Amino acid sequence: MASRPYTAVLIIPTGIGAAIGGYAGDALPVARAMAQVADRLITHPNVLNGAQLYWPLPNAYYVEGYGLDQFAAGRWGLRPVHQNRIGLVLDRAIEEDLRWRHLQAADAARATLGLDLTDYAVTDAPLDVTLRTAESGATWGTIANPDSLLRAVERLIAGGADAIAVVARFPDDFGSEALQNYRQGRGVDPLAGAEAVISHLVVRTFQIPCAHAPALTPLPLDPSLSPKSAAEEIGHTFLPCVLAGLSCAPQFVTRAPAQASDLWAEQVDAVIVPATALGGSAVISLSRTKTWVIAVEENTTTLQVTPEQLGIRAIRVSSYLEAIGVIATHKAGVGLAGMRSHIFPIQPLVK
């Protein structure tokens, strides 16, 4: 029996200390396994980025968070591409040696992976990134000169860029408790919230794929480093995974005419999200449709926003292994009741 492709959306919000997906690409194993069950997997850079590590998933859509919100709300569609030409923005605040490290990483991606990049642009003023932490423990941030970033992006688009990679100089804070906790696999990524602010600004302004890589001074060696954080400490830059993701990120469809290959929110079958982090725009939008909402209890966060608090009908599962089983069952057209040891008798409809 023929059926349409099964589409799943995997969301692990940035900067909320998710036990899985709150560190350096540690949700990639989940995405890899889920992509084997779903025909199409839509997810975002926080899930797929692992600094110098990444994994090509031919059926995965690499979609920035603001664009994912617009897609889930039905305002934007996603259009698959064979290849994007990537424009690279470098923050003027990046020191010369560190700038060369990022330029060499970009050249390596061109020579070794065959990625297509335009000439790069340097912002006309330092972006001046500031990091913040909310009372909940979630991280966020600001940039003092957003107009400088937008001017650089505008130049790259005029030069033929289809997608934008941004490298901003982030403040070094070697001695902070937050950084030490993160390196030990505890707490919240202190950079993630500010990274999201930067990419959201570009996507909202230009409706173009974008992702961010922070520029930082390499940290001193720590033999007790957590495996969850280790991907960020094996080189001088986090840029390779961003370039790999953007190279085939879908373009945003914001107006007619549509193409047959375009993907829209009504085609989403399931959205998978941590059970305490259902307050995001994309999840709320999809919960108003026929999309199954699968809440993963094992993936704890600093938040306590549950489906019950929001009146969202969700399927609670203990782990991503169980979530993948639910997706496989749904895709097979099998009712979940049929997978249990006891089935209640069918009942008359109550008027």
Side-chain angles (χ1 to χ4, degrees), residues 219-298:
L219 293 167
L221 178 67
D222 182 354
S224 66
L225 189 71
S226 168
K228 284 179 167 289
S229 306
E232 293 186 354
E233 307 210 19
I234 60 175
H236 299 277
T237 170
F238 305 157
L239 186 58
C241 64
V242 168
L243 297 177
L246 289 173
S247 68
C248 55
Q251 290 291 321
F252 298 115
V253 182
T254 59
R255 57 186 179 274
Q259 296 180 3
S261 62
D262 294 347
L263 182 58
W264 297 90
E266 59 263 25
Q267 296 168 267
V268 173
D269 295 286
V271 56
I272 305 91
V273 66
T276 58
L278 275 82
S281 173
V283 176
I284 291 174
S285 294
L286 291 172
S287 73
R288 295 169 179 157
T289 70
K290 292 184 178 181
T291 300
W292 282 20
V293 178
I294 303 173
V296 181
E297 295 172 346
E298 180 183 37

Side-chain angles (χ1 to χ4, degrees), residues 174-250:
F174 293 164
S176 74
E177 183 179 358
L179 176 60
Q180 296 310 313
N181 286 339
Y182 178 75
R183 297 182 82 191
Q184 297 302 315
R186 305 186 300 269
V188 180
D189 182 349
L191 311 181
E195 291 192 88
V197 168
I198 291 169
S199 62
H200 289 2
L201 174 62
V202 173
V203 174
R204 184 174 70 244
T205 305
F206 298 104
Q207 296 85 53
I208 191 171
C210 177
H212 176 266
L216 293 161
T217 303
L219 293 167
L221 178 67
D222 182 354
S224 66
L225 189 71
S226 168
K228 284 179 167 289
S229 306
E232 293 186 354
E233 307 210 19
I234 60 175
H236 299 277
T237 170
F238 305 157
L239 186 58
C241 64
V242 168
L243 297 177
L246 289 173
S247 68
C248 55

Side-chain angles (χ1 to χ4, degrees), residues 16 35 46 49 55 106 120 152 176 193 209 240 268 276 291 304 321 337:
I16 60 169
N46 184 56
N49 283 355
W55 196 271
Y120 69 93
S176 74
V268 173
T276 58
T291 300
Q304 290 299 322
L321 283 172

Side-chain angles (χ1 to χ4, degrees), residues 337 341-349:
S341 60
H342 180 75
I343 301 177
F344 293 101
I346 192 168
Q347 299 294 314
L349 182 65

Side-chain angles (χ1 to χ4, degrees), residues 18-20 30 273-276 295-301 316-322:
I20 300 171
V30 174
V273 66
T276 58
V296 181
E297 295 172 346
E298 180 183 37
N299 198 3
T300 57
T301 74
R316 280 186 168 267
V317 297
S318 61
S319 66
Y320 284 107
L321 283 172
E322 188 178 349

